[in-house]
């Protein structure tokens, strides 16, 4: 799946929490920008919930 398709299935709150765990900054960034910095496996795991 493409990143755009995955982020449609992910809640922003969950995405931001996962980014914080990975040490990725989340201020003033869109869901797409945050998702691009996360590993694809993490996005697939979040989308599968």
């Amino acid at each position: 799946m493409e990143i755009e398709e995955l982020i449609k299935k992910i809640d922003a709150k969950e995405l931001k929490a996962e980014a914080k765990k990975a040490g990725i900054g989340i201020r003033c960034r869109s869901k797409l920008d945050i998702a691009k910095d996360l590993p694809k496996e993490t996005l697939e795991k979040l989308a599968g919930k």
Side-chain angles (χ1 to χ4, degrees):
M1 261 191 232
E2 295 295 321
I3 291 177
E4 292 83 11
E5 295 172 9
L6 289 172
I7 62 170
K8 288 179 184 178
K9 298 178 182 180
I10 301 172
D11 183 42
K13 196 173 193 178
E14 292 176 352
L15 184 67
K16 289 179 180 184
E18 202 64 36
K20 281 184 180 181
K21 288 180 191 175
I24 297 169
I26 59 171
R27 293 185 68 188
C28 300
R29 298 182 72 197
S30 68
K31 280 175 63 174
L32 182 60
D33 292 336
I34 295 169
K36 285 180 181 177
D37 290 342
L38 287 170
K40 191 162 186 167
E41 297 83 30
T42 303
L43 296 175
E44 290 172 349
K45 182 183 83 171
L46 290 172
K49 286 186 177 180

